[in-house]
Amino acid sequence: MFTGIVETTGTVVDATADEGGRRLRIEPDVDDATTEIDFSDLHHGQSIAVSGVCLTVEAFRIDPTPWFEVFLAAETVAKTYLGEVSAGDRVNIERALPAEGRFDGHLVQGHVDTTTEVTGIERIGDDWVFEFDLPASIERYVVQKGSITIDGISLTVAERGGGHFGIAIIPTTYDVTTLSTKSVGDPVHIEVDVVAKYVEQMVSGYVEGLEDRLASNVRGE
């Protein structure tokens, strides 16, 4: 489980095809003045979110420069844009939430629902407004002022219209995530709020039962 509070960014230093998928080697930004993240606890089997995609550390090094390797299964390659990244590309990094950790952001599983693209970027004072295309497959889960995860970042929907939605980005989020590298037309990962999915599932049974009773009344049964 993650929170969508990105710990740091990282750089893809190697991307290679592997049997049944793809393998990435990533170097976290540990010397950046904006982060004080200690990656000395890297270990095999650790869950780690890479731009919002939950992956497993399969190899790693701590010194002198930390790096870790993750494997992308065929499904991950097909459903995310990580199959297209190459050496030099930037990614967001968040390790799984420890049981005793502070819970900020919102519940994030690292299970990408879909990808979409940036359709607009505007700077307003010190802040930024990003606009994204809203795929029909997730429209019902995206509500104004609701939580959404973009490339692993916990954000709030500021505006929702027909076929699009907007996010207001504060300077800190812009500076410490890959949003500062995005341009119009670039892809992003979307994970909708899992709570919305649970509510939909719980309510669907009630709605179906109500529809059956109404149909029976109409038939005079």
Side-chain angles (χ1 to χ4, degrees), residues 6 8 12 14 16 18 23 44 46 63 70 81 99 103-104 109 115 129-130 140 151 177 193 209:
V6 171
T8 188
V12 177
D14 192 32
T16 56
D18 204 342
R23 191 171 300 278
H44 183 271
Q46 181 178 23
D63 295 314
V70 291
Y81 66 73
F103 188 91
D104 295 314
Q109 295 180 297
T115 59
V129 174
F130 278 67
R140 62 187 182 278
D151 271 356
T177 72
D193 190 353

Side-chain angles (χ1 to χ4, degrees), residues 139-156:
E139 278 186 335
R140 62 187 182 278
Y141 303 117
V142 179
V143 297
Q144 192 162 334
K145 305 305 180 184
S147 295
I148 195 167
T149 307
I150 305 291
D151 271 356
I153 311 165
S154 174
L155 297 168
T156 301

Side-chain angles (χ1 to χ4, degrees), residues 107-172:
L107 291 172
V108 176
Q109 295 180 297
H111 300 162
V112 172
D113 290 295
T114 188
T115 59
T116 189
E117 68 175 38
V118 181
T119 57
I121 302 175
E122 181 181 3
R123 185 167 188 174
I124 302 178
D126 291 332
D127 299 332
W128 298 80
V129 174
F130 278 67
E131 187 171 280
F132 304 91
D133 182 61
L134 179 57
S137 60
I138 61 167
E139 278 186 335
R140 62 187 182 278
Y141 303 117
V142 179
V143 297
Q144 192 162 334
K145 305 305 180 184
S147 295
I148 195 167
T149 307
I150 305 291
D151 271 356
I153 311 165
S154 174
L155 297 168
T156 301
V157 177
E159 181 267 336
R160 183 191 186 284
H164 75 275
F165 67 98
I167 302 287
I169 307 296
I170 62 174
T172 297

Side-chain angles (χ1 to χ4, degrees), residues 197-211:
K197 293 181 179 180
Y198 281 124
V199 171
E200 179 185 51
Q201 181 170 300
M202 289 186 292
V203 172
S204 63
Y206 171 78
V207 172
E208 290 172 2
L210 181 61
E211 290 175 344

Side-chain angles (χ1 to χ4, degrees), residues 52-64:
V53 184
C54 180
L55 299 169
T56 301
V57 174
E58 293 196 344
F60 66 95
R61 184 184 72 183
I62 303 299
D63 295 314

Side-chain angles (χ1 to χ4, degrees), residues 10-15 25 85-91 181:
T11 302
V12 177
V13 295
D14 192 32
R25 178 176 291 186
V85 299
S86 56
D89 287 341
R90 310 282 290 167
V91 292
T181 69

